[in-house]
PDB file of all heavy atoms in Angstrom:
ATOM      1  N   VAL A  83       3.454  -6.530  -6.542  1.00 94.00           N
ATOM      2  CA  VAL A  83       3.678  -5.127  -6.219  1.00 94.00           C
ATOM      3  C   VAL A  83       3.241  -4.226  -7.375  1.00 94.00           C
ATOM      4  O   VAL A  83       2.753  -3.116  -7.153  1.00 94.00           O
ATOM      5  CB  VAL A  83       5.153  -4.872  -5.849  1.00 94.00           C
ATOM      6  CG1 VAL A  83       5.425  -3.387  -5.649  1.00 94.00           C
ATOM      7  CG2 VAL A  83       5.511  -5.620  -4.581  1.00 94.00           C
ATOM      8  N   ASP A  84       3.423  -4.681  -8.614  1.00 96.00           N
ATOM      9  CA  ASP A  84       2.935  -3.909  -9.758  1.00 96.00           C
ATOM     10  C   ASP A  84       1.458  -3.583  -9.581  1.00 96.00           C
ATOM     11  O   ASP A  84       1.023  -2.449  -9.774  1.00 96.00           O
ATOM     12  CB  ASP A  84       3.108  -4.702 -11.063  1.00 96.00           C
ATOM     13  CG  ASP A  84       4.554  -4.795 -11.515  1.00 96.00           C
ATOM     14  OD1 ASP A  84       5.390  -4.042 -10.986  1.00 96.00           O
ATOM     15  OD2 ASP A  84       4.833  -5.622 -12.398  1.00 96.00           O
ATOM     16  N   LYS A  85       0.675  -4.610  -9.238  1.00 95.00           N
ATOM     17  CA  LYS A  85      -0.761  -4.439  -9.068  1.00 95.00           C
ATOM     18  C   LYS A  85      -1.073  -3.532  -7.877  1.00 95.00           C
ATOM     19  O   LYS A  85      -1.937  -2.653  -7.955  1.00 95.00           O
ATOM     20  CB  LYS A  85      -1.440  -5.796  -8.876  1.00 95.00           C
ATOM     21  CG  LYS A  85      -1.364  -6.699 -10.096  1.00 95.00           C
ATOM     22  CD  LYS A  85      -2.109  -6.091 -11.268  1.00 95.00           C
ATOM     23  CE  LYS A  85      -2.064  -6.976 -12.485  1.00 95.00           C
ATOM     24  NZ  LYS A  85      -2.725  -6.326 -13.646  1.00 95.00           N
ATOM     25  N   GLN A  86      -0.376  -3.749  -6.770  1.00 96.00           N
ATOM     26  CA  GLN A  86      -0.624  -2.945  -5.577  1.00 96.00           C
ATOM     27  C   GLN A  86      -0.243  -1.483  -5.811  1.00 96.00           C
ATOM     28  O   GLN A  86      -0.980  -0.569  -5.414  1.00 96.00           O
ATOM     29  CB  GLN A  86       0.161  -3.508  -4.396  1.00 96.00           C
ATOM     30  CG  GLN A  86      -0.141  -2.791  -3.084  1.00 96.00           C
ATOM     31  CD  GLN A  86       0.594  -3.409  -1.913  1.00 96.00           C
ATOM     32  OE1 GLN A  86       1.647  -4.012  -2.086  1.00 96.00           O
ATOM     33  NE2 GLN A  86       0.038  -3.256  -0.722  1.00 96.00           N
ATOM     34  N   GLU A  87       0.892  -1.259  -6.456  1.00 97.00           N
ATOM     35  CA  GLU A  87       1.324   0.110  -6.733  1.00 97.00           C
ATOM     36  C   GLU A  87       0.308   0.842  -7.604  1.00 97.00           C
ATOM     37  O   GLU A  87      -0.043   2.001  -7.333  1.00 97.00           O
ATOM     38  CB  GLU A  87       2.686   0.094  -7.426  1.00 97.00           C
ATOM     39  CG  GLU A  87       3.195   1.492  -7.766  1.00 97.00           C
ATOM     40  CD  GLU A  87       4.471   1.477  -8.593  1.00 97.00           C
ATOM     41  OE1 GLU A  87       4.873   0.381  -9.061  1.00 97.00           O
ATOM     42  OE2 GLU A  87       5.064   2.544  -8.774  1.00 97.00           O
ATOM     43  N   ALA A  88      -0.172   0.178  -8.637  1.00 97.00           N
ATOM     44  CA  ALA A  88      -1.149   0.804  -9.530  1.00 97.00           C
ATOM     45  C   ALA A  88      -2.419   1.181  -8.769  1.00 97.00           C
ATOM     46  O   ALA A  88      -2.977   2.267  -8.954  1.00 97.00           O
ATOM     47  CB  ALA A  88      -1.479  -0.134 -10.685  1.00 97.00           C
ATOM     48  N   GLU A  89      -2.875   0.291  -7.892  1.00 96.00           N
ATOM     49  CA  GLU A  89      -4.084   0.556  -7.110  1.00 96.00           C
ATOM     50  C   GLU A  89      -3.860   1.710  -6.134  1.00 96.00           C
ATOM     51  O   GLU A  89      -4.723   2.590  -5.966  1.00 96.00           O
ATOM     52  CB  GLU A  89      -4.504  -0.707  -6.358  1.00 96.00           C
ATOM     53  CG  GLU A  89      -5.619  -0.516  -5.339  1.00 96.00           C
ATOM     54  CD  GLU A  89      -6.906   0.011  -5.957  1.00 96.00           C
ATOM     55  OE1 GLU A  89      -7.110  -0.183  -7.182  1.00 96.00           O
ATOM     56  OE2 GLU A  89      -7.716   0.610  -5.230  1.00 96.00           O
ATOM     57  N   LEU A  90      -2.696   1.733  -5.485  1.00 97.00           N
ATOM     58  CA  LEU A  90      -2.406   2.809  -4.549  1.00 97.00           C
ATOM     59  C   LEU A  90      -2.306   4.155  -5.254  1.00 97.00           C
ATOM     60  O   LEU A  90      -2.811   5.169  -4.756  1.00 97.00           O
ATOM     61  CB  LEU A  90      -1.109   2.516  -3.795  1.00 97.00           C
ATOM     62  CG  LEU A  90      -1.202   1.476  -2.680  1.00 97.00           C
ATOM     63  CD1 LEU A  90       0.189   1.091  -2.187  1.00 97.00           C
ATOM     64  CD2 LEU A  90      -2.050   1.992  -1.517  1.00 97.00           C
ATOM     65  N   ARG A  91      -1.651   4.190  -6.401  1.00 97.00           N
ATOM     66  CA  ARG A  91      -1.525   5.451  -7.135  1.00 97.00           C
ATOM     67  C   ARG A  91      -2.898   5.969  -7.558  1.00 97.00           C
ATOM     68  O   ARG A  91      -3.149   7.185  -7.568  1.00 97.00           O
ATOM     69  CB  ARG A  91      -0.613   5.280  -8.342  1.00 97.00           C
ATOM     70  CG  ARG A  91       0.856   5.076  -7.964  1.00 97.00           C
ATOM     71  CD  ARG A  91       1.795   5.208  -9.143  1.00 97.00           C
ATOM     72  NE  ARG A  91       3.172   4.934  -8.761  1.00 97.00           N
ATOM     73  CZ  ARG A  91       3.965   5.807  -8.132  1.00 97.00           C
ATOM     74  NH1 ARG A  91       3.522   7.015  -7.844  1.00 97.00           N
ATOM     75  NH2 ARG A  91       5.210   5.470  -7.817  1.00 97.00           N
ATOM     76  N   ARG A  92      -3.780   5.056  -7.909  1.00 96.00           N
ATOM     77  CA  ARG A  92      -5.134   5.463  -8.291  1.00 96.00           C
ATOM     78  C   ARG A  92      -5.891   6.025  -7.092  1.00 96.00           C
ATOM     79  O   ARG A  92      -6.480   7.105  -7.159  1.00 96.00           O
ATOM     80  CB  ARG A  92      -5.895   4.267  -8.863  1.00 96.00           C
ATOM     81  CG  ARG A  92      -7.307   4.597  -9.354  1.00 96.00           C
ATOM     82  CD  ARG A  92      -8.144   3.358  -9.520  1.00 96.00           C
ATOM     83  NE  ARG A  92      -8.353   2.647  -8.256  1.00 96.00           N
ATOM     84  CZ  ARG A  92      -9.213   3.061  -7.324  1.00 96.00           C
ATOM     85  NH1 ARG A  92      -9.933   4.157  -7.496  1.00 96.00           N
ATOM     86  NH2 ARG A  92      -9.344   2.365  -6.203  1.00 96.00           N
ATOM     87  N   SER A  93      -5.873   5.292  -5.968  1.00 95.00           N
ATOM     88  CA  SER A  93      -6.676   5.696  -4.815  1.00 95.00           C
ATOM     89  C   SER A  93      -6.080   6.878  -4.055  1.00 95.00           C
ATOM     90  O   SER A  93      -6.808   7.605  -3.369  1.00 95.00           O
ATOM     91  CB  SER A  93      -6.873   4.507  -3.863  1.00 95.00           C
ATOM     92  OG  SER A  93      -5.636   4.070  -3.331  1.00 95.00           O
ATOM     93  N   MET A  94      -4.758   7.106  -4.160  1.00 96.00           N
ATOM     94  CA  MET A  94      -4.112   8.198  -3.442  1.00 96.00           C
ATOM     95  C   MET A  94      -3.971   9.471  -4.274  1.00 96.00           C
ATOM     96  O   MET A  94      -3.443  10.471  -3.811  1.00 96.00           O
ATOM     97  CB  MET A  94      -2.717   7.765  -2.971  1.00 96.00           C
ATOM     98  CG  MET A  94      -2.714   6.668  -1.914  1.00 96.00           C
ATOM     99  SD  MET A  94      -3.502   7.154  -0.355  1.00 96.00           S
ATOM    100  CE  MET A  94      -5.073   6.279  -0.472  1.00 96.00           C
ATOM    101  N   GLN A  95      -4.450   9.441  -5.496  1.00 95.00           N
ATOM    102  CA  GLN A  95      -4.338  10.606  -6.368  1.00 95.00           C
ATOM    103  C   GLN A  95      -5.059  11.806  -5.764  1.00 95.00           C
ATOM    104  O   GLN A  95      -6.216  11.734  -5.360  1.00 95.00           O
ATOM    105  CB  GLN A  95      -4.929  10.290  -7.748  1.00 95.00           C
ATOM    106  CG  GLN A  95      -4.655  11.356  -8.796  1.00 95.00           C
ATOM    107  CD  GLN A  95      -5.083  10.901 -10.177  1.00 95.00           C
ATOM    108  OE1 GLN A  95      -5.748   9.886 -10.339  1.00 95.00           O
ATOM    109  NE2 GLN A  95      -4.689  11.647 -11.192  1.00 95.00           N
ATOM    110  N   GLY A  96      -4.344  12.922  -5.651  1.00 94.00           N
ATOM    111  CA  GLY A  96      -4.928  14.146  -5.122  1.00 94.00           C
ATOM    112  C   GLY A  96      -4.977  14.236  -3.613  1.00 94.00           C
ATOM    113  O   GLY A  96      -5.517  15.208  -3.069  1.00 94.00           O
ATOM    114  N   THR A  97      -4.407  13.262  -2.904  1.00 95.00           N
ATOM    115  CA  THR A  97      -4.462  13.260  -1.437  1.00 95.00           C
ATOM    116  C   THR A  97      -3.255  13.933  -0.797  1.00 95.00           C
ATOM    117  O   THR A  97      -3.268  14.200   0.400  1.00 95.00           O
ATOM    118  CB  THR A  97      -4.554  11.823  -0.900  1.00 95.00           C
ATOM    119  OG1 THR A  97      -3.352  11.109  -1.247  1.00 95.00           O
ATOM    120  CG2 THR A  97      -5.765  11.093  -1.473  1.00 95.00           C
ATOM    121  N   GLY A  98      -2.198  14.153  -1.565  1.00 94.00           N
ATOM    122  CA  GLY A  98      -0.960  14.693  -1.013  1.00 94.00           C
ATOM    123  C   GLY A  98       0.041  13.630  -0.632  1.00 94.00           C
ATOM    124  O   GLY A  98       1.191  13.939  -0.296  1.00 94.00           O
ATOM    125  N   ILE A  99      -0.357  12.368  -0.671  1.00 96.00           N
ATOM    126  CA  ILE A  99       0.557  11.266  -0.349  1.00 96.00           C
ATOM    127  C   ILE A  99       1.423  10.945  -1.563  1.00 96.00           C
ATOM    128  O   ILE A  99       0.917  10.759  -2.674  1.00 96.00           O
ATOM    129  CB  ILE A  99      -0.207  10.015   0.093  1.00 96.00           C
ATOM    130  CG1 ILE A  99      -0.863  10.251   1.458  1.00 96.00           C
ATOM    131  CG2 ILE A  99       0.704   8.802   0.170  1.00 96.00           C
ATOM    132  CD1 ILE A  99      -1.564   9.052   2.038  1.00 96.00           C
ATOM    133  N   ASP A 100       2.714  10.903  -1.336  1.00 97.00           N
ATOM    134  CA  ASP A 100       3.674  10.558  -2.395  1.00 97.00           C
ATOM    135  C   ASP A 100       4.000   9.070  -2.294  1.00 97.00           C
ATOM    136  O   ASP A 100       4.260   8.561  -1.205  1.00 97.00           O
ATOM    137  CB  ASP A 100       4.948  11.393  -2.235  1.00 97.00           C
ATOM    138  CG  ASP A 100       5.947  11.134  -3.346  1.00 97.00           C
ATOM    139  OD1 ASP A 100       5.522  10.852  -4.486  1.00 97.00           O
ATOM    140  OD2 ASP A 100       7.164  11.217  -3.083  1.00 97.00           O
ATOM    141  N   ILE A 101       3.980   8.385  -3.428  1.00 97.00           N
ATOM    142  CA  ILE A 101       4.277   6.955  -3.468  1.00 97.00           C
ATOM    143  C   ILE A 101       5.593   6.752  -4.211  1.00 97.00           C
ATOM    144  O   ILE A 101       5.741   7.182  -5.353  1.00 97.00           O
ATOM    145  CB  ILE A 101       3.148   6.166  -4.153  1.00 97.00           C
ATOM    146  CG1 ILE A 101       1.837   6.352  -3.389  1.00 97.00           C
ATOM    147  CG2 ILE A 101       3.499   4.682  -4.243  1.00 97.00           C
ATOM    148  CD1 ILE A 101       0.635   5.767  -4.089  1.00 97.00           C
ATOM    149  N   GLN A 102       6.537   6.109  -3.551  1.00 97.00           N
ATOM    150  CA  GLN A 102       7.841   5.851  -4.147  1.00 97.00           C
ATOM    151  C   GLN A 102       8.093   4.351  -4.172  1.00 97.00           C
ATOM    152  O   GLN A 102       7.660   3.620  -3.270  1.00 97.00           O
ATOM    153  CB  GLN A 102       8.944   6.560  -3.364  1.00 97.00           C
ATOM    154  CG  GLN A 102       8.810   8.065  -3.345  1.00 97.00           C
ATOM    155  CD  GLN A 102       9.911   8.750  -2.557  1.00 97.00           C
ATOM    156  OE1 GLN A 102      10.780   8.100  -1.968  1.00 97.00           O
ATOM    157  NE2 GLN A 102       9.882  10.080  -2.528  1.00 97.00           N
ATOM    158  N   ARG A 103       8.797   3.910  -5.213  1.00 97.00           N
ATOM    159  CA  ARG A 103       9.102   2.487  -5.330  1.00 97.00           C
ATOM    160  C   ARG A 103      10.597   2.285  -5.547  1.00 97.00           C
ATOM    161  O   ARG A 103      11.219   2.990  -6.335  1.00 97.00           O
ATOM    162  CB  ARG A 103       8.329   1.855  -6.488  1.00 97.00           C
ATOM    163  CG  ARG A 103       8.624   0.371  -6.653  1.00 97.00           C
ATOM    164  CD  ARG A 103       7.660  -0.288  -7.604  1.00 97.00           C
ATOM    165  NE  ARG A 103       7.969  -1.690  -7.818  1.00 97.00           N
ATOM    166  CZ  ARG A 103       7.219  -2.522  -8.530  1.00 97.00           C
ATOM    167  NH1 ARG A 103       6.106  -2.081  -9.096  1.00 97.00           N
ATOM    168  NH2 ARG A 103       7.576  -3.783  -8.669  1.00 97.00           N
ATOM    169  N   SER A 104      11.144   1.322  -4.828  1.00 96.00           N
ATOM    170  CA  SER A 104      12.538   0.928  -5.001  1.00 96.00           C
ATOM    171  C   SER A 104      12.574  -0.592  -5.079  1.00 96.00           C
ATOM    172  O   SER A 104      12.383  -1.276  -4.072  1.00 96.00           O
ATOM    173  CB  SER A 104      13.401   1.415  -3.828  1.00 96.00           C
ATOM    174  OG  SER A 104      14.738   0.972  -3.957  1.00 96.00           O
ATOM    175  N   GLY A 105      12.770  -1.128  -6.272  1.00 94.00           N
ATOM    176  CA  GLY A 105      12.706  -2.567  -6.454  1.00 94.00           C
ATOM    177  C   GLY A 105      11.299  -3.056  -6.157  1.00 94.00           C
ATOM    178  O   GLY A 105      10.329  -2.603  -6.742  1.00 94.00           O
ATOM    179  N   ASP A 106      11.187  -3.971  -5.208  1.00 93.00           N
ATOM    180  CA  ASP A 106       9.882  -4.498  -4.812  1.00 93.00           C
ATOM    181  C   ASP A 106       9.340  -3.836  -3.553  1.00 93.00           C
ATOM    182  O   ASP A 106       8.366  -4.303  -2.973  1.00 93.00           O
ATOM    183  CB  ASP A 106       9.980  -6.015  -4.583  1.00 93.00           C
ATOM    184  CG  ASP A 106      10.141  -6.781  -5.885  1.00 93.00           C
ATOM    185  OD1 ASP A 106       9.855  -6.205  -6.951  1.00 93.00           O
ATOM    186  OD2 ASP A 106      10.567  -7.945  -5.825  1.00 93.00           O
ATOM    187  N   ASN A 107       9.979  -2.748  -3.111  1.00 96.00           N
ATOM    188  CA  ASN A 107       9.552  -2.062  -1.894  1.00 96.00           C
ATOM    189  C   ASN A 107       8.790  -0.782  -2.239  1.00 96.00           C
ATOM    190  O   ASN A 107       9.209  -0.007  -3.094  1.00 96.00           O
ATOM    191  CB  ASN A 107      10.766  -1.717  -1.026  1.00 96.00           C
ATOM    192  CG  ASN A 107      11.533  -2.951  -0.585  1.00 96.00           C
ATOM    193  OD1 ASN A 107      10.940  -4.011  -0.375  1.00 96.00           O
ATOM    194  ND2 ASN A 107      12.841  -2.821  -0.438  1.00 96.00           N
ATOM    195  N   LEU A 108       7.674  -0.573  -1.559  1.00 98.00           N
ATOM    196  CA  LEU A 108       6.880   0.630  -1.743  1.00 98.00           C
ATOM    197  C   LEU A 108       6.950   1.483  -0.481  1.00 98.00           C
ATOM    198  O   LEU A 108       6.908   0.961   0.633  1.00 98.00           O
ATOM    199  CB  LEU A 108       5.418   0.283  -2.016  1.00 98.00           C
ATOM    200  CG  LEU A 108       5.086  -0.360  -3.372  1.00 98.00           C
ATOM    201  CD1 LEU A 108       3.610  -0.760  -3.410  1.00 98.00           C
ATOM    202  CD2 LEU A 108       5.395   0.596  -4.513  1.00 98.00           C
ATOM    203  N   THR A 109       7.043   2.807  -0.664  1.00 98.00           N
ATOM    204  CA  THR A 109       7.022   3.743   0.454  1.00 98.00           C
ATOM    205  C   THR A 109       5.970   4.807   0.194  1.00 98.00           C
ATOM    206  O   THR A 109       5.953   5.429  -0.863  1.00 98.00           O
ATOM    207  CB  THR A 109       8.398   4.416   0.649  1.00 98.00           C
ATOM    208  OG1 THR A 109       9.379   3.416   0.968  1.00 98.00           O
ATOM    209  CG2 THR A 109       8.353   5.424   1.784  1.00 98.00           C
ATOM    210  N   LEU A 110       5.088   4.994   1.166  1.00 98.00           N
ATOM    211  CA  LEU A 110       4.071   6.037   1.103  1.00 98.00           C
ATOM    212  C   LEU A 110       4.492   7.140   2.054  1.00 98.00           C
ATOM    213  O   LEU A 110       4.720   6.891   3.245  1.00 98.00           O
ATOM    214  CB  LEU A 110       2.702   5.494   1.509  1.00 98.00           C
ATOM    215  CG  LEU A 110       1.961   4.589   0.523  1.00 98.00           C
ATOM    216  CD1 LEU A 110       2.650   3.235   0.373  1.00 98.00           C
ATOM    217  CD2 LEU A 110       0.526   4.371   0.970  1.00 98.00           C
TER     218      LEU A 110
END
Side-chain angles (χ1 to χ4, degrees):
V83 174
D84 287 346
K85 294 296 181 184
Q86 185 177 26
E87 179 186 9
E89 171 60 24
L90 284 170
R91 290 193 183 281
R92 183 197 63 76
S93 63
M94 293 297 105
Q95 190 172 10
T97 64
I99 291 184
D100 183 32
I101 300 172
Q102 298 180 358
R103 180 169 177 175
S104 177
D106 288 343
N107 299 327
L108 290 174
T109 298
L110 286 69

